[in-house]
Amino acid sequence: MPAAAQHRRTRNTRLARRTRNTRLARALAAACTGAAVLALPLIGATAASAATTAAPAVGTTPAGYPDNLDGWIRESLAIMAEKKIPGTYNGIYRNIIRESSGNPAAINLWDSNAAKGIPSKGLLQVIDPTFTTYHVAGTSFDIYDPVANITAACNYAAHRYGSIDNVFSAY
């Protein structure tokens, strides 16, 4: 076919076709999005209801406090109030984070106490003789029990430093 007979697309023709294709793509996207929007509440509702029934219940201590660092501190503070052992949430929390990062199973196997065969244990890194001496009645005799560990350590700190609030380093 001679060059003169070929159909030439002008810029306007290409622009019109591109615009038409863009409109089609947008219309399809809107239709798909609309379908997704209609389906999402149904999918979301199903997933949400399934999640609420399958979610495990938050554990609690025997005294009814949450079985986590916050609950252990609050339970210890309640016992300490009964036994007139001074201390605040912030003082206990600060020392726990420094000593064990909140791990009730923490054990120090490298310091001078560990070298003597009596490693520091639990949330507030108490050694066995200190735990036994300052154990608070009504708490577990397990040094790794978070509430027993906190309460015994706070009792020790009260006798030695006036309060756990006055402890800012290893004690």
Side-chain angles (χ1 to χ4, degrees), residues 1-141:
M1 184 182 289
Q6 287 183 351
H7 176 70
R8 296 188 131 210
R9 291 187 184 154
T10 63
R11 182 176 180 156
N12 289 339
T13 307
R14 283 188 301 234
L15 183 59
R17 180 170 283 164
R18 192 174 325 141
T19 303
R20 210 173 27 245
N21 289 343
T22 303
R23 284 185 193 145
L24 178 62
R26 286 182 183 162
L28 287 172
C32 291
T33 304
V37 169
L38 290 174
L40 282 177
L42 298 174
I43 293 168
T46 304
S49 63
T52 54
T53 57
V58 174
T60 57
T61 66
Y65 291 89
D67 194 16
N68 58 26
L69 183 57
D70 176 67
W72 302 327
I73 294 172
R74 290 180 18 219
E75 184 174 345
S76 293
L77 284 168
I79 295 167
M80 291 165 55
E82 288 176 15
K83 306 291 183 177
K84 305 215 184 320
I85 300 169
T88 64
Y89 187 100
N90 289 339
I92 295 169
Y93 181 84
R94 179 187 70 240
N95 282 284
I96 287 173
I97 296 304
R98 185 191 65 252
E99 293 292 336
S100 68
S101 300
N103 178 4
I107 184 166
N108 182 331
L109 297 173
W110 59 268
D111 70 357
S112 60
N113 288 322
K116 295 175 193 171
I118 47 171
S120 306
K121 301 172 184 174
L123 287 171
L124 282 168
Q125 293 293 281
V126 181
I127 59 174
D128 289 324
T130 302
F131 181 79
T132 302
T133 302
Y134 292 96
H135 175 263
V136 176
T139 64
S140 169
F141 285 94

Side-chain angles (χ1 to χ4, degrees), residues 84-87 134 152-164 167:
K84 305 215 184 320
I85 300 169
Y134 292 96
C154 288
N155 193 23
Y156 165 74
H159 282 87
R160 176 95 187 220
Y161 306 102
S163 171
I164 191 73
V167 178

